[in-house]
Amino acid sequence: MRRSWFLIIAATLGFLFLYIPIGSLILFSFNESKLVTVWAGFSTKWYGELLRDEQVLGAVWISARIAFASATLAVVLGTLAAFVLVRMRAFWGKPILRGMTTAPLVMPEVITGLSLLLLFVSMERMIGWPAGRGMVTIIIAHTTFCLAYVAVVVQSRLVDMDESLEEAARDLGAAPVRVFFDVTLPVIAPALVAGWLLAFTLSLDDLVVASFTSGPGASTLPMVIFSKVRLGVSPDINALATLIILVVALGIVIAGLVMRRK
Amino acid sequence: MVGTATKPTAGELKPWREARTPPFIRIEGISKHFGDFIAVDDVSLDIWQGEIFCLLGGSGCGKSTLLRMLAGFEAPSAGKVSIDGQDMAGVPPEARPTNMMFQSYALFPHMSVEKNVAYGLLRGGMGKAEAMEKVAAMLKLVQLEGFAARKPHQLSGGQRQRVALARSLVKRPKLLLLDEPLGALDKKLREETQFELMNIQDQLGVTFIVVTHDQEEAMTLATRIGVMDAGRIVQVGEPRAIYERPGSRFVADFIGTVNLFEGKVDVAAPDAMRITTAEGPILTEPVVGLRAGQQVAVAVRPEKMRLSREQGAAANVLSGTVSDYAYMGDMTIYKLALDNGRSVKVSVSNIDDASEAFTWDERLFISFPAKAGVVLSA
Ligand SMILES: Nc1ncnc2c1ncn2[C@@H]1O[C@H](COP(=O)(O)OP(=O)(O)O)[C@@H](O)[C@H]1O
Ligand SMILES: [Mg+2]
C-alpha cells in the first residue's frame, strides 16, 4: 500500500513539474488582461488579435511549408538510409554511415546550424547555389537533422520485418520493384507516417538551426515568437503557443496510434 | 514407425527404380559457401514428377539452403539445377516454375486471405474474375471457404498454414518447395495435416520437395527421403529402405531407434557372416564386399528383437537384466543392461493383456535372427 502511495505522489510531482508551465501558458492565453501575470477574467480576444497579426500569419505559413517539405524529403532520404543500414551486407563504410546518420541526434544544434551556414556560404561562392539564404536553405538544414530521426524509426520497423515476406512476393512472380511497392512499403508504412509526423514537428519547433540558415524574408514561426518575446511577453504569444501545443500534441497522438497499429 | 502406403493410383510407379523416364528435377554437384562455411556440399539428386521428396536432417545441416537454391533465393557456389529440362542458372525466383511455402508462412499481413492467395495469379497476369474463381476453388480445397475476408492475424496457426499452402499451390507450380511446413503445428494437427497434404498432392499432381527435421513426418509423407548431414546427402531411398537398410551409422541412428554393436568382421563367407563384438559374436546375413578383419557395426532395431525368460534357438542370443522400461500403450520399451554393462533397447508390442510383462531386474534372453542385423561399414 505504502509503495503505491509513493508511486502516486512521484507521478503527480513529475506531471506537475512537466505540465504546470504549459498549463499556466494555456490558462493565460485566455486572460482578459494585457498583463501576463494578472488574471482579469476569461476572454478569447488574444486569439482574435493573433489572426489579425500579418507577421505571425506569414511566419506560420512559411514554417508550415518548410516543415512539410523537409519532413517529406527526410522521409525519402531517411528511409533509403535505413534500408542501407539494415539490408546491406557489412562493408567497410557501414559503421561510418551508421555513425553519420545518427550524429545529428546528439550533435549540439548550434554546431549543426553553424556548419550548415558555413557550407551554404562556401557553396554559394563556389557554385552559386543556393543563392542567398532563405526557405531553401532552411529546408535543406531541417532535412539533414530530421533524416536522422526518420532513419531510426524506419530502421526499427525494417529490423522487425520478416524478409521472407519479400521473398514470398518474388516467389509468386513479382519483380523486385513491384515487391517494394506491393509488400515492403505497406508493411513499413506506419513507420513512414510516424517518421514524417516526427520530422514535421521537429522542423516546426526548431529555432537554432533555422536562425543560422535563414535569410531576409524567411522568418519561421519560432524565430518570430522569439523576437517578439524579447520585447516583452504579450498574451497573443500565449495564444499562439497554445495553438502550437495543440498541433504538436495532435501530431504525437496520431504518430503513436499509427505506430501501434500492426 | 509407420510407412504409410500411398494409395495405389493407376500406373502407380516408382520411376527412380528403373531409369526409363528422365528425372524432372536434376541437381548436379550443387554447393553453397557462406564465406569459409560450407552450408551445402556437392549435392546431387534426381527427383521425378509427382514425387513427395523429403529432405531430412538435423537443424543447421543445410536443408533450407538447398531449398532456397532451388527457389532461386540463393545462387549456388558450384553446380547446376535443372527443372523439367530447363537450366535454372541465372533465372530469378519470379521466373522459376516453382513456388515455396515458407517456414514462417510469410503471409502478407496487410492483405486479406483472398488477396494473399490471389497475389501470385494477379502478378502472373491473370484477369481478376478468373483469379477470384481459382482462389475460391483453392480455399475450398484447403477448407477455408468462410475465411476469405480475414486478415492473417485473425487466423489460428493451422489456418495460416493452410492459407500459405493455398497461396503456394494456386499457381499450380511444377515444383512446390515446402520448408518445415508443419513445424509450427501441434502434434495432432500435424498428423491430420500430413494426410491432407498427401491428398492435395495426389489431386493436383504437383511435385513436392519437403524439408523436415521430423523423421516420422518424412516417413509418413515421402515417396523418397534424402537424409542430410553437414551439408551432404548421406542416403537417398524409399522410407522403408532407409529404415530397414540404413547405409551408415549416422542414418541408422538418426532414423528411429537402433542398437549399434561395434565390432570386426570375423567370418565373411558367401553363405555366412559373423561379426565379433564386445557383446559376443553376432551372426548376420552375408554382405558382399566385406572382408574379414574389417571394422563394422551391426544395427538392430528394437522391434526386431525378442525378449523371453527361456533361452530360445535363435541365431543370436544375448542376455541381460531389465534396468528400465516404458509403457507406451501400443508397445513397451525395455532397456536391458548386458553383462558387460552396455544397454540395449527392445520393444515388445502389447498384442493382448496376456503379453508377457517383464519387470525390473529380471534376467532375460534377447534373441534375434540373422536377418535382423544390418552390417554398416560407414
Ligand atoms: N545467409 C547466410 N549466411 C551465413 N551462413 C548461413 C546463411 N544461411 C544459412 N547459413 C548457415 O548455413 C547452415 C545451414 O543453414 P540452413 O540451410 O538454414 O539449415 P537447416 O538445415 O536447419 O534448414 C547453418 O549453419 C547456417 O548458420
Ligand atoms: Mg531450415
Side-chain angles (χ1 to χ4, degrees):
Chain A
M1 241 10 229
R2 268 179 54 219
R3 206 183 146 95
S4 79
W5 272 112
F6 173 76
L7 287 179
I8 289 170
I9 291 169
T12 313
L13 287 178
F15 275 113
L16 288 178
F17 187 76
L18 280 173
Y19 289 110
I20 279 182
I22 294 174
S24 68
L25 187 143
I26 293 174
L27 183 70
F28 279 104
S29 75
F30 294 106
N31 193 359
E32 170 77 44
S33 164
K34 191 168 173 53
L35 293 167
V36 183
T37 45
V38 182
W39 181 255
F42 180 85
S43 156
T44 54
K45 75 173 184 192
W46 299 114
Y47 287 88
E49 195 96 325
L50 194 65
L51 290 178
R52 284 187 295 277
D53 189 331
E54 299 271 327
Q55 196 197 359
V56 167
L57 290 183
V60 167
W61 179 230
I62 286 176
S63 268
R65 279 190 294 168
I66 290 176
F68 184 88
S70 44
T72 307
L73 283 170
V75 165
V76 173
L77 296 174
T79 304
L80 292 177
F83 260 94
V84 171
L85 291 175
V86 174
R87 291 291 173 79
M88 207 148 151
R89 279 190 307 154
F91 67 107
W92 60 268
K94 200 166 167 183
I96 301 174
L97 183 63
R98 189 182 302 278
M100 302 261 272
T101 329
T102 42
L105 296 178
V106 291
M107 192 78 77
E109 283 179 303
V110 180
I111 294 183
T112 310
L114 185 63
S115 62
L116 282 162
L117 173 63
L118 293 177
L119 175 75
F120 292 142
V121 170
S122 48
M123 270 174 72
E124 187 180 6
R125 228 179 344 194
M126 284 161 73
I127 58 171
W129 186 91
R133 280 166 298 289
M135 263 180 69
V136 172
T137 47
I138 302 179
I139 289 172
I140 296 173
H142 281 186
T143 303
T144 50
F145 76 80
C146 289
L147 180 163
Y149 290 87
V150 174
V152 168
V153 174
V154 175
Q155 258 187 81
S156 74
R157 185 81 183 190
L158 269 181
V159 167
D160 284 346
M161 180 181 177
D162 182 3
E163 269 185 66
S164 57
L165 289 178
E166 290 168 348
E167 290 178 344
R170 286 201 71 183
D171 189 60
L172 291 165
V177 175
R178 189 84 218 198
V179 172
F180 180 79
F181 286 104
D182 281 355
V183 175
T184 318
L185 208 53
V187 170
I188 63 167
L192 299 189
V193 174
W196 190 90
L197 286 168
L198 185 62
F200 188 84
T201 42
L202 284 169
S203 165
L204 210 57
D205 178 57
D206 168 71
L207 172 63
V208 178
V209 176
S211 304
F212 272 100
T213 52
S214 167
S219 293
T220 64
L221 190 56
M223 288 165 72
V224 168
I225 294 173
F226 191 68
S227 64
K228 269 175 157 306
V229 168
R230 274 203 303 201
L231 306 173
V233 181
S234 65
D236 59 335
I237 293 295
N238 283 348
L240 179 59
T242 303
L243 292 178
I244 294 175
I245 289 170
L246 194 71
V247 170
V248 171
L250 218 65
I252 289 172
V253 169
I254 293 173
L257 288 179
V258 169
M259 266 312 252
R260 194 130 50 103
R261 215 190 55 191
K262 279 281 170 188
Chain B
M1 201 61 38
V2 200
T4 320
T6 16
K7 194 169 51 184
T9 50
E12 207 238 15
L13 30 83
K14 305 198 158 159
W16 50 88
R17 286 190 176 171
E18 66 243 36
R20 264 208 310 251
T21 41
F24 187 60
I25 293 132
R26 269 218 121 111
I27 301 170
E28 292 168 79
I30 207 174
S31 295
K32 180 70 195 179
H33 301 220
F34 293 112
D36 290 339
F37 182 76
I38 303 176
V40 172
D41 189 5
D42 193 20
V43 165
S44 295
L45 270 177
D46 284 340
I47 295 169
W48 274 264
Q49 190 148 26
E51 273 204 81
I52 302 186
F53 191 94
C54 276
L55 282 170
L56 176 63
S59 174
C61 71
K63 310 179 295 288
S64 294
T65 307
L66 180 53
L67 210 62
R68 291 169 57 78
M69 286 194 280
L70 296 178
F73 297 129
E74 307 276 2
S77 310
K80 186 177 140 177
V81 176
S82 61
I83 299 174
D84 202 7
Q86 213 187 331
D87 187 2
M88 285 293 126
V91 181
E94 60 267 30
R96 296 198 177 203
T98 62
N99 279 132
M100 179 145 167
M101 186 180 153
F102 290 80
Q103 196 164 5
S104 61
Y105 304 151
L107 299 178
F108 306 131
H110 56 293
M111 295 185 197
S112 64
V113 165
E114 193 174 38
K115 290 225 170 88
N116 262 284
V117 179
Y119 188 80
L121 295 176
L122 296 178
R123 280 291 77 77
M126 186 181 282
K128 186 137 195 197
E130 193 188 353
M132 285 307 153
E133 235 170 74
K134 295 220 159 164
V135 169
M138 201 67 222
L139 287 180
K140 191 166 173 201
L141 184 70
V142 297
Q143 297 164 20
L144 280 175
E145 291 139 295
F147 296 86
R150 297 250 191 126
K151 288 275 179 70
H153 68 91
Q154 297 167 314
L155 300 174
S156 73
Q159 289 166 338
R160 271 181 232 169
Q161 182 265 342
R162 279 180 280 155
V163 177
L165 181 65
R167 189 180 68 177
S168 56
L169 271 174
V170 76
K171 287 185 91 174
R172 299 290 160 91
K174 288 180 178 172
L175 172 63
L176 183 67
L177 306 163
L178 303 100
D179 194 352
E180 314 241 357
L182 312 178
L185 305 183
D186 59 59
K187 190 167 160 52
K188 193 155 169 53
L189 200 53
R190 196 161 64 218
E191 279 169 9
E192 282 170 22
T193 315
Q194 281 166 7
F195 289 104
E196 250 176 70
L197 210 56
M198 286 161 67
N199 269 334
I200 289 172
Q201 197 265 352
D202 206 33
Q203 282 181 44
L204 302 183
V206 173
T207 307
F208 280 24
I209 299 183
V210 185
V211 157
T212 177
H213 65 266
D214 179 346
Q215 40 125 345
E216 275 184 58
E217 187 166 299
M219 288 283 178
T220 313
L221 287 175
T223 52
R224 285 188 307 151
I225 296 175
V227 183
M228 282 190 80
D229 179 31
R232 290 175 165 274
I233 294 264
V234 289
Q235 190 174 358
V236 177
E238 292 168 35
R240 182 180 292 271
I242 296 262
Y243 186 77
E244 302 286 348
R245 294 189 302 281
S248 64
R249 292 173 179 85
F250 174 83
V251 175
D253 203 30
F254 190 78
I255 314 279
T257 317
V258 78
N259 297 299
L260 283 176
F261 301 98
E262 292 289 341
K264 268 203 174 76
V265 178
D266 180 21
V267 177
D271 57 343
M273 183 105 191
R274 195 167 69 195
I275 320 283
T276 318
T277 70
E279 290 74 32
I282 294 180
L283 299 178
T284 68
E285 292 195 319
V287 181
V288 285
L290 284 183
R291 292 165 284 100
Q294 210 170 333
Q295 187 74 35
V296 293
V298 183
V300 190
R301 299 281 182 198
E303 73 277 7
K304 303 241 184 323
M305 297 172 145
R306 255 181 57 77
L307 281 182
S308 55
R309 296 196 170 92
E310 298 86 33
Q311 183 162 14
N316 298 294
V317 180
L318 303 169
S319 69
T321 54
V322 178
S323 63
D324 210 351
Y325 66 86
Y327 175 76
M328 317 280 287
D330 53 346
M331 62 178 181
T332 305
I333 296 175
Y334 290 91
K335 241 179 162 172
L336 288 102
L338 301 187
D339 296 336
N340 66 354
R342 92 152 267 181
S343 117
V344 169
K345 277 188 186 157
V346 182
S347 64
V348 177
S349 72
N350 299 322
I351 293 163
D352 54 27
D353 280 347
S355 69
E356 296 163 281
F358 307 109
T359 185
W360 284 289
D361 294 331
E362 248 190 286
R363 187 155 185 88
L364 298 173
F365 293 99
I366 306 165
S367 49
F368 55 94
K371 65 172 192 241
V374 179
V375 183
L376 304 170
S377 51

